[in-house]
Amino acid sequence: MKIERITWRVVDFPLARDFHPAWARGRNQPNLLMVLIEVQTDEGVTGIGAAHAGIEAAVAIERFVAPYFIGQDPTYVERLVPVLRDAEILGAPVYCMEMTLWDIVGKLAGLPVAKLWGGYSDRVVAYCATAEVRSPEQRVDDVHRMLAQGYKAVKFRFHLPDPRQDLKVVEAVRAAVGDRIEIMVDANQAGVEPGHGGHRTWGFPMALTVARELERMKVRWLEEPLPRHDYDGLRRLRDKLDTLAIAGGEDNHGLHEFKLLIDRGCYDILQPDALLSEGVGEMRKIAALAEVSRVEVAPHTWGNGIGLMANLHLAAAIPNCPFLEFPDDPPSGWTAAARDQMLAEPLVIDRQGCVRVPDRPGFGLVLDEERIARHTVSAHSVSSGD
Ligand SMILES: [Mg+2]
């Protein structure tokens, strides 16, 4: 079997309503931008993937991936992984390309990828990942809605100039619903936004102060309390806590750095993402390293439903995944329906707050072709005859 043709389309979906992500204060995000990738073989099987990116990923695929993939057997995934690792040196990360290969392997085997990998479960508990900063009163209303939907866990964003104001959201929710919902908090301190027109940079003393308050309120984890390369600070913070877990990793890259995060004791919970941080198959290796170090893995997802699907299969295939990130923050424009608008069969939570792995071969993606065609900005392809 050989890869005969690769096509990739930049697709720009509008959001129906305003969306003000907490990590980009003052900005309205009007759209969902992605690159949809299809890898076609000479035996008629096609692998699907998507980048959480725009034209920059399209260029990286064209220049640094497609020339090495065309003509190769897509079932020898391990031979092609180094291409993706090297692509990142020169262009945008395109770990998403590994997903297309596993989609092909799963389709050939007639198995969902999660089962192909030995499978741990057919479903994963979702947590409702909010994105906006809202008042305590609004968040109490939101949590009542989440509980009615079946959610068992929610994640809030701490981004106000004074984190003591952020803490009031957790206090209000605990007062309103007690322990009926697990609570997580994301400080988004690992990337570029703090101190860069975004929100406040915390530093170690602030991270510890907030963490101790969250521990008192029985919060499950604090995510990204410090910069992504502050390995010593993360370890020191973790050492000072008893029940609150420290989570992170969405902004770290590659199997080798995740090993470093484990070896240095930075996190209780690692959050790699199949589109952003490492290939979905390589994430199994991260999960195995984590497992032997008694660290959990809860994949990060943000940009689109195709990435969520990849992370879902990984989450269901490993024994050390407590939760799956499930972005959904109505009444803003960023809802589960908006996130999955490229899929004819979007991912939903059931009454137990779980997301089920579709019982279809590969990743089980069913595309809404008509909608994708309507919002395609540019289309690119390379084939073995070119
Ligand atoms: Mg996060």
Side-chain angles (χ1 to χ4, degrees), residues 127 155 157 186 188 223-224 250 271 300 325:
Y127 69 85
K155 187 170 82 186
R157 306 280 170 173
D186 193 345
N188 291 106
E223 181 170 324
E224 293 194 337
E250 72 190 67
Q271 300 174 302
H300 167 269
E325 180 158 18

Coordinates of all heavy atoms in Angstrom, one line a residue, residues 127 155 157 186 188 223-224 250 271 300 325, ligand 1:
Y127 N -14.9 16.7 31.0 CA -15.1 17.9 31.9 C -15.4 19.0 30.9 O -14.9 19.1 29.9 CB -13.9 18.2 32.8 CG -12.7 18.6 32.2 CD1 -12.4 20.0 31.9 CD2 -11.6 17.7 31.9 CE1 -11.3 20.4 31.3 CE2 -10.4 18.2 31.4 CZ -10.2 19.5 31.1 OH -9.1 19.9 30.6
K155 N -14.3 23.1 34.3 CA -13.0 23.8 34.4 C -13.3 25.3 34.2 O -13.9 25.7 33.2 CB -12.0 23.3 33.4 CG -10.6 23.9 33.7 CD -9.5 23.3 32.9 CE -9.5 23.8 31.5 NZ -8.5 23.0 30.7
R157 N -11.7 29.4 34.2 CA -10.4 30.2 33.9 C -10.2 31.3 34.9 O -11.1 32.0 35.3 CB -10.7 30.9 32.5 CG -11.1 29.9 31.4 CD -9.9 29.2 30.9 NE -10.3 28.1 30.0 CZ -9.5 27.3 29.3 NH1 -8.2 27.6 29.3 NH2 -9.9 26.4 28.5
D186 N -7.9 26.6 35.3 CA -6.8 26.8 34.4 C -6.4 28.3 34.4 O -7.1 29.2 34.2 CB -7.3 26.5 33.0 CG -6.2 26.4 31.9 OD1 -5.1 26.8 32.3 OD2 -6.5 25.8 30.9
N188 N -3.6 29.3 32.6 CA -3.0 29.6 31.3 C -1.8 30.5 31.4 O -1.6 31.5 30.7 CB -4.0 30.4 30.4 CG -5.1 29.5 29.9 OD1 -6.3 29.6 30.4 ND2 -4.8 28.5 29.0
E223 N -4.2 24.1 36.6 CA -3.6 23.9 35.3 C -2.7 25.1 34.9 O -3.1 26.3 35.1 CB -4.7 23.7 34.3 CG -4.2 23.4 32.9 CD -5.4 22.9 32.0 OE1 -6.3 22.2 32.5 OE2 -5.4 23.3 30.8
E224 N -1.5 24.9 34.5 CA -0.6 25.9 34.0 C -0.5 27.1 34.9 O -0.7 28.2 34.5 CB -1.0 26.4 32.6 CG -0.8 25.3 31.5 CD -0.9 25.8 30.1 OE1 -1.5 26.9 29.9 OE2 -0.4 25.1 29.2
E250 N 0.1 21.2 27.6 CA -0.5 21.5 26.2 C 0.5 22.4 25.4 O 0.4 22.4 24.2 CB -1.8 22.2 26.3 CG -1.8 23.7 26.8 CD -3.1 24.2 27.2 OE1 -3.8 23.8 28.2 OE2 -3.5 25.2 26.5
Q271 N -1.0 16.9 30.0 CA -2.1 17.3 29.1 C -1.6 17.5 27.6 O -1.7 18.5 27.0 CB -2.8 18.5 29.6 CG -3.4 18.4 30.9 CD -3.9 19.7 31.5 OE1 -3.2 20.6 31.6 NE2 -5.2 19.7 31.8
H300 N -5.3 17.5 26.3 CA -5.8 18.8 26.0 C -6.5 18.8 24.7 O -6.1 18.1 23.7 CB -4.7 19.8 26.0 CG -5.0 21.1 25.4 ND1 -4.9 21.4 24.0 CD2 -5.5 22.3 25.9 CE1 -5.3 22.7 23.8 NE2 -5.6 23.2 24.9
E325 N -10.8 16.6 28.1 CA -11.3 18.0 28.0 C -12.3 18.1 26.9 O -12.2 17.6 25.8 CB -10.1 18.9 27.6 CG -10.4 20.4 27.5 CD -9.3 21.3 27.6 OE1 -8.1 20.9 27.6 OE2 -9.6 22.6 27.9
Ligands
MG1 MG -5.4 24.7 29.3

